[in-house]
Amino acid sequence: MTVLVPRMLSRLEDLLEWDGPATHLIRVEEQQQDGVYRIRAELPGMDAKDIKVSVDHGMLIIDAERSEEKKDNYRSEFRYGSLHRSAALPAGAEEQKIHASYDKGILEITVPVGEKKPSGRTIPIEAAK
């Protein structure tokens, strides 16, 4: 029973992050330290041109398309599919300064994080005359 619970929780986590039947999740590692939010994503065997990083309304989005085919005299083998992952950027993230690099199967994205700017405002109330 003690082994079953961690497996069930892991499976539940995968289901909650599931984006649909046509896509697969990208495994990531996230950290925020010294004013920088860093996310590293596993994308082995990909070309940088097949990876797209975008930001929309405070969400960092990683999309990748994989297609590979190998043929020899006796058989052929192929792999293909869409990969997707999104992550909420921390408060104060400077979206215009996001930097992404790809090396040896690892996509690394860095986002400078400044001070959290207050959101909202106080509305003055006029007294009736």
Side-chain angles (χ1 to χ4, degrees):
M1 180 73 173
T2 58
V3 173
L4 185 57
V5 172
R7 278 191 200 160
M8 287 174 31
L9 290 175
S10 174
R11 181 69 181 129
L12 179 61
E13 182 180 297
D14 288 343
L15 288 173
L16 291 174
E17 292 180 350
W18 186 60
D19 287 331
T23 62
H24 302 283
L25 281 178
I26 299 169
R27 300 283 180 198
V28 298
E29 169 184 276
E30 298 173 87
Q31 71 177 27
Q32 185 173 343
Q33 188 175 25
D34 299 327
V36 176
Y37 169 73
R38 179 174 284 110
I39 185 166
R40 292 167 31 102
E42 286 183 348
L43 293 166
M46 304 284 299
D47 284 321
K49 66 178 175 48
D50 297 327
I51 303 168
K52 177 184 168 194
V53 177
S54 58
V55 65
D56 186 27
H57 291 66
M59 294 295 292
L60 182 69
I61 302 158
I62 304 169
D63 288 302
E65 193 73 33
R66 176 190 311 253
S67 67
E68 180 180 347
E69 189 172 343
K70 294 179 183 177
K71 291 183 181 182
D72 63 23
N73 292 337
Y74 302 104
R75 67 181 204 161
S76 67
E77 190 174 322
F78 63 91
R79 297 186 319 171
Y80 62 92
S82 297
L83 301 153
H84 174 82
R85 187 66 182 251
S86 59
L89 292 173
E94 298 177 24
E95 295 181 6
Q96 301 303 320
K97 296 181 181 179
I98 294 175
H99 177 264
S101 62
Y102 181 72
D103 186 37
K104 297 178 184 166
I106 303 294
L107 173 67
E108 184 169 321
I109 303 165
T110 55
V111 184
V113 179
E115 288 187 34
K116 181 179 175 182
K117 295 179 177 118
S119 61
R121 62 185 180 99
T122 303
I123 310 297
I125 300 172
E126 284 187 32
K129 295 181 183 177

